[in-house]
Structures are given as structure tokens and as C-alpha cells.
Amino acid sequence: MGDSYISGEAGRWRGNSLTNSGSRAGTDRAWTGSGYDPSRVYGQTAANGCHRSDSAEVQGAAGAADTVVNLACSGATTRNVFRASNGGQWFKGEAPQADQLAAVAASYDVETIALSIGGNDLGFASIIEKCAKDYIIWYSYCHDDQQAVVDSKIDAVMADVGKAVDEIRAVMSGAGYNSSAYRIVLQSYPSPIPRGSENRYSESGWSRVLTGGCPFWNKDADWARDGLVPQLADRLRAVAAAKGAQFLDLRDMLQGREVCAKASRLVSASQPPSAAASEWVRWIDSNETQGPIQESMHPNHYGQLAQQRCLALIQGRPSGNHACRNTAGYGASGMYLTGLY
């Protein structure tokens, strides 16, 4: 349940390539051989933009569950999770997710509910846009004013995340479940961009814009990686503790696999897509020459396979909070958990 980071946004892509035609050097999973069909990846949700991909995180529970259900929708906020009777709002033609959960809970024996929410309430998209424009247009930094914006919003956002958990519990109770019959896993967000020192492109010139798709100053990138992402993770962990949910920390999940990271590379005719070497995040394609801009800055197909593995691993850990990280040079099989104390 939740937003784009769990719905499967950007699952269409296996790395990033400068090739704009055909299969885009093998990166575009929507390529049919003669055109592009995003429904091959996103199914019916290619039309409404929820973008629930075939490689979304929930698929990682398939081996331990008879049925997996994806209710998340790209762009969703906490109010799209709440029940309609308690302030919830329809989104992209779909009922509030808690109301959808009621139908699922009545038809299946629900054991685990994974939730990613709060990023859109904080305005992730607008922060990314502001920071990119400050690099491309204004030649100024964004971290100072955007930190102030985050600080002004975060208390209210965390209260709404807590309410989202309460709404899920209310639905489950109404369906006859006691709190010990299922668990809620509240997860944080990974950083889609590397620290400035870990970026393979020079801070000067246009390579970060035209080649890498990562138009951010080093100081802003450092703030996002070591300031914003940890701040949000720590606050979400506190919500999980207060609401009796399990916490999955993803802040370091994409370390070395981010857009423009030195440890990863672009895909080309001579360097085909590789879970071990390609980037795990969709770059910023501001001209939309390769699909819609909404896919930018999300875990791509490889990143989602990694998140699948994280979910599968925490399925085997029924208690405790855990961080999920990757192993350099490996695909999803290299993901591992460390306990948080």
C-alpha cells in the first residue's frame, strides 16, 4: 500500500541508456519490436498512472504467500490511504486504499501489509524539481530553503502517516482480525542520487544534465543523501514504534546504484543491461524522450527486484526493525538485512 516507491513506478526500465530508439539498448521493457506498450509492464494501471509494475516490491512475497495484492498508486498521499469515511480521498479513479483493503481482508487471509507513504505529503517531486532548476537555471543551492520547507511540514506529515497506520488497523479489526494475526511493515525511502563525491560526472559543465540525468549540485546531493533521507527515515521509524509496526529502513538500499553513481554505469550497445553494473534508478528525462517524467528518480526494474528481495527477507524476520542494503557487484541476490537496535 502507498505511493510510487512501492507501487512499481519506473519498473519499465532496466538501467538508463542514451539511445532513444528501438529498445533503447535493451533498457525499455515496453518495447514490442515495433513500438512501445507500457501496459506490458504496468498492466491496466498504465492508463491511470498508478503504474503498478510487474516487478513491484510486493512480488517479493510471492514465494511465501498464495496471493499478493498491490493497492499502491504512484503519486498517492496519506489521504489516499485513509478510509473515505474518515477523510480519505479517491485518487486517479480509485477508491481510498484502506477501503480497497477492506475488500481484500474479507476475501483473503492477510498476513503482511507493506506501507510506503509520506514522501508525496512532504513534496518530494517539488523538492527534486526545485533542486534541478537551481542547478540548470539559477546556479544556486536548494538545500537551505528546502530544508526549511521540510521542517515546516514534517510533524504534520508524520501525524498523517500515523493516522494511515491507524486506518489500516481499523479496517483489519473491522474484518475480524486481531492485531497479532497480521503485521504492518512501514518502510522508509532510499536516496535516488549519490553523494557529490560519488558522482561520476563533473559538477561543472552539462554532463550531469545531458548525459547522466542527475542535475544536482554536490552540496544539494549531499543534503539529500545524508540529511533529508535519514531525517525522514528516522521519523518514520519513530512512527512505526509508536504504532506497533515493523520498520524497514531503505535509506542505504541504493548505495552505489544511484543515478550517476561512480560504481554504476549507463547501458549502451557495448554494455548491455546488467543488474550487477547498471543503475538501479530511473534518471531525469526532462524532455520525455523516453517515457513520462513521472518515472524519474524511482527505483527501476533492477531496483524493484532489490526491494522484492528486501521484502522477502523481512518476511522471514517476524519481529524487530531491519535495514536492507545491497552488495556491490551483485543483483538482487546480494541484498541483506541488518538489525536496528
Side-chain angles (χ1 to χ4, degrees), residues 7-250:
S7 73
E9 182 68 86
R12 173 177 174 175
W13 305 95
R14 300 190 304 162
N16 301 304
S17 171
L18 294 169
T19 302
N20 286 327
S21 60
S23 68
R24 278 98 183 217
T27 61
D28 193 347
R29 301 173 61 232
W31 173 245
T32 66
S34 59
Y36 305 101
D37 180 10
S39 69
R40 289 165 63 101
V41 175
Y42 300 123
Q44 294 180 346
T45 64
N48 72 356
C50 280
H51 285 184
R52 292 191 280 270
S53 78
D54 58 0
S55 57
E57 180 182 321
V58 70
Q59 300 300 326
D66 293 331
T67 304
V68 295
V69 179
N70 191 350
L71 302 179
C73 183
S74 183
T77 65
T78 51
R79 295 188 182 279
N80 305 127
V81 175
F82 305 161
R83 292 168 295 171
S85 62
N86 206 16
Q89 299 174 352
W90 283 62
F91 186 60
K92 297 186 177 179
E94 298 187 357
Q97 291 176 32
D99 291 329
Q100 295 183 55
L101 174 63
V104 174
S107 302
Y108 301 95
D109 178 15
V110 177
E111 296 182 350
T112 302
I113 300 168
L115 175 66
S116 169
I117 202 70
N120 291 318
D121 297 70
L122 271 181
F124 266 7
S126 63
I127 291 172
I128 290 170
E129 181 181 3
K130 178 67 166 59
C131 291
K133 285 183 176 178
D134 278 0
Y135 181 90
I136 299 170
I137 300 173
W138 304 114
Y139 298 96
S140 62
Y141 295 124
C142 72
H143 63 270
D144 45 2
D145 57 331
Q146 291 306 298
Q147 182 64 66
V149 170
V150 169
D151 289 343
S152 71
K153 291 181 176 181
I154 197 163
D155 286 346
V157 170
M158 289 302 110
D160 283 341
V161 172
K163 179 179 175 180
V165 176
D166 290 341
E167 290 288 286
I168 290 170
R169 292 209 184 278
V171 166
M172 296 299 286
S173 178
Y177 292 74
N178 62 54
S179 59
S180 63
Y182 67 96
R183 56 176 156 151
I184 298 173
V185 177
L186 179 64
Q187 62 189 50
S188 68
Y189 296 87
S191 175
I193 58 175
R195 298 176 179 88
S197 62
E198 296 168 354
N199 195 308
R200 64 178 179 266
Y201 299 105
S202 171
E203 187 176 27
S204 62
W206 291 97
S207 58
R208 290 190 182 183
V209 179
L210 302 178
T211 306
C214 56
F216 305 104
W217 296 110
N218 286 348
K219 286 186 177 181
D220 290 338
D222 290 346
W223 165 72
R225 179 66 180 84
D226 294 323
L228 176 60
V229 169
Q231 178 186 13
L232 185 51
D234 291 343
R235 293 297 300 268
L236 287 168
R237 181 179 180 179
V239 172
K243 299 298 180 179
Q246 200 171 9
F247 178 62
L248 178 60
D249 193 337
L250 298 181

